[in-house]
Each structure stands twice: as structure tokens, then as C-alpha cells.
Amino acid sequence: MEKAILGLDIGGTGIKGGVLINGHLEDIRSIATPAKESKEYILESIAEFIETYLVYDLVGIGIGIPGLVDVREGIVLGLSNIPAFQHVELKKFLTNRFGKPVFINNDANCFASGVHKFGVGQRFNHLVGLTLGTGIGGGIVINGHLYSGVNSAAGEWCSSTYLDKDFEHYCSGKFFERSYNKKPKALAKLALAGDPVALKAFDEYGHHLGELIKHILYALAPEAVILGGSIRKTYPLFKESLFKSISTFNYPTVIERFEILLSEMDETAIHGAVALVELENENEVVSN
């Protein structure tokens, strides 16, 4: 039986899993999230999904969730899109069920950890990962280590006040839907065909995202920001306005050593969940 690390990405619509074997992510599967069911039903669904991976010799389980987590205790403090999943002792439940080490963190933190451990962020000591999708999430790596903050809340710039609302309103898919009544993918198709309204939408989006990245630069001055999520695929449409906004940053010498990169991995959240286990194992080796 092969030794493997199981990574899970638990979202409001789907639960996706994969195993890391000899440095490669394999056997990716998914099930629908029973988001409207009871806490007990959801826990059992997660456990039954994990059981399908017991053909492997699991050395640990890493989990990313779209909400706040008491990382030390492994308690899910709340998920806005899964109403019953509030203050859930997920680590305790799964440890008792499977007898394996379990590590849980916010999914944006997992993204940052994943791109640093396995992706385009490997060469940086200080980076920020931004997931651009229905919402926006942020994760921070400092001196090569994931920084989660209290209850995994570090990097939650989505809730920072910006203009008349917050950064999530202007830097996620919500911006396109509320301002242009279309999803990003549909607008991107129009923009690539030369539609002036769609092109204007992405120009505005790039400006807003640039303002967020300036906010991050003033706070952390990372070497790089790595973009993930579905909206990253429209990057050519907002790249120019993004860099125009960033060019107004007050410290040019910081910008000279700063990069914006796109994550090349579509399963970054699972990679990041796996990285939670790998990093814990590495820390144990160092401490011993």
C-alpha cells in the first residue's frame, strides 16, 4: 500500500480531494457538498469521502475551507455558504474516526502555501497569494512560512473598506455581476471580441485590483503576488490597467523587486491542503 497525503478542498458547492504520492498529486475526485443538510450529515459525508481514499496508506490529512479556522484546535468557526457548519470540531472528529494527523486552514491560506511549496512561488521567501473568483481571498507567506494570524484571518483584505464598499465588491466576480450584470467569463468573451463595454469593465477591474495590491505592498512589501482563481485566466484583459495603478505606488525601489505571477496549477487548493501536512512533518524533523 502506497504512502500518501490526502488533501481536501471543502467548498460550498463541492468537496474535492487528491493524494500526494512521491511529490505528485494524483487520484483527484469530487462530490457535491450537502450544504443545506445538518452538521452531522455533512461530517458523515466528509468521512465517507475520505474512506474512498483508504486504499492508500495515509500519513496525514490536510483540509482547506472557505472560512475562519482555529488552526491549533482544528475547529471550523463558520462558513457563510454552509449554514449548519458553525463551530465544528472537524479535526477531533476526523482524528477519532481515522487515527491520522489532521490539519485545517483557510482555503486562501492553503492557496498561498500551495503555490509556495509546489508552484510558481517556490523561489520567493515573501509572497501573497490572491484567489480571484466569486469572492476574493488572501494568504501570506513570510520568511518561507505560512502566516495565518489569529483564527486564520490574516490576509482577509476582502473585508477592508474600499471606496463605498470593500475590496471584495470591486476585486472579485461580484464587481462584474453587480456593475455589468454579467459573469466574468461571459464578459471576457465579449472583451476578446472587441466589445467596448466589456473592455471598459476589465479596465476598471484592473484599476481596483491594483489598488488592493498597493494596499498589500504598503503593509507587507512582498516579493511577489501570485494570482489564482478563475478570474486569473482573464489577466491579459486587465494587466495594463493593473500595472498603471500599481505604478503610482510611492516607493519605486520596492516595485523594481516586485513581481505579479499567475498560478499555473488548477488544483492549488488541494496542493495547499497537502502542504499543511508536509510543512508540519518538516517542522517535526527540524525540532527533533
Side-chain angles (χ1 to χ4, degrees):
M1 188 181 293
E2 291 183 285
K3 290 189 178 297
I5 298 173
L6 175 61
L8 296 183
D9 176 27
I10 299 177
T13 58
I15 301 171
K16 187 176 282 191
V19 287
L20 189 78
I21 301 174
N22 297 323
H24 299 284
L25 193 64
E26 303 178 11
D27 200 357
I28 295 170
R29 313 175 194 174
S30 63
I31 60 171
T33 303
K36 303 300 182 184
E37 301 293 342
S38 68
K39 177 177 70 175
E40 292 73 22
Y41 188 96
I42 296 168
L43 283 170
E44 189 60 30
S45 297
I46 294 170
E48 289 177 359
F49 185 57
I50 291 173
E51 285 173 355
T52 67
Y53 282 99
L54 294 183
V55 293
Y56 303 99
D57 181 9
L58 299 180
V59 299
I61 301 169
I63 302 174
I65 62 103
L68 297 186
V69 180
D70 179 333
V71 175
R72 179 174 295 179
E73 300 297 327
I75 299 173
V76 178
L77 299 175
L79 298 180
S80 59
N81 48 5
I82 308 180
F85 226 60
Q86 314 295 322
H87 203 85
V88 178
E89 295 184 356
L90 183 58
K91 177 178 179 177
K92 181 179 179 180
F93 172 79
L94 294 178
T95 301
N96 290 340
R97 181 77 166 251
F98 298 105
K100 307 289 184 181
V102 176
F103 304 95
I104 308 170
N105 211 312
N106 174 271
D107 58 353
N109 292 339
C110 287
F111 169 72
S113 185
V115 294
H116 180 253
K117 181 73 177 176
F118 301 106
V120 295
Q122 292 181 69
R123 61 189 173 91
F124 301 108
N125 288 319
H126 317 290
L127 67 81
V128 167
L130 287 180
T131 57
L132 310 175
T134 305
I136 183 169
I140 303 167
V141 171
I142 299 175
N143 290 325
H145 298 284
L146 178 67
Y147 175 72
S148 298
V150 175
N151 291 339
S152 71
E156 291 296 316
W157 292 286
C158 58
S159 298
S160 294
T161 301
Y162 174 63
L163 299 180
D164 59 328
K165 296 188 183 297
D166 54 34
F167 276 115
E168 179 157 286
H169 178 88
Y170 287 96
C171 298
S172 71
K174 294 182 175 76
F175 168 73
F176 298 101
E177 294 178 33
R178 291 174 180 170
S179 299
Y180 290 90
N181 297 313
K182 290 186 183 295
K183 293 187 178 295
K185 187 175 181 179
L187 270 171
K189 186 175 182 179
L190 292 172
L192 290 171
D195 182 89
V197 174
L199 288 168
K200 179 174 178 289
F202 282 99
D203 185 69
E204 291 177 354
Y205 178 80
H207 169 76
H208 297 312
L209 184 60
E211 292 301 304
L212 169 56
I213 291 175
K214 280 164 55 181
H215 190 79
I216 293 169
L217 282 165
Y218 284 121
L220 297 172
E223 298 167 280
V225 165
I226 315 294
L227 302 181
S230 58
I231 296 178
R232 84 185 192 283
K233 297 178 181 179
T234 66
Y235 181 65
L237 295 171
F238 63 81
K239 178 180 178 180
E240 183 177 348
S241 60
L242 171 70
F243 277 94
K244 184 178 179 180
S245 177
I246 293 173
S247 70
T248 63
F249 184 70
N250 278 344
Y251 307 113
T253 56
V254 173
I255 296 299
E256 290 171 6
R257 300 179 59 183
F258 172 69
E259 298 182 48
I260 295 178
L261 300 172
L262 304 183
S263 172
E264 79 286 18
M265 299 186 296
D266 286 325
E267 304 298 344
T268 315
I270 300 177
H271 275 100
V274 164
L276 296 178
V277 182
E278 283 223 325
L279 292 170
E280 191 65 28
N281 290 340
E282 289 172 6
N283 289 338
E284 284 184 6
V285 170
V286 172
S287 63
N288 292 334

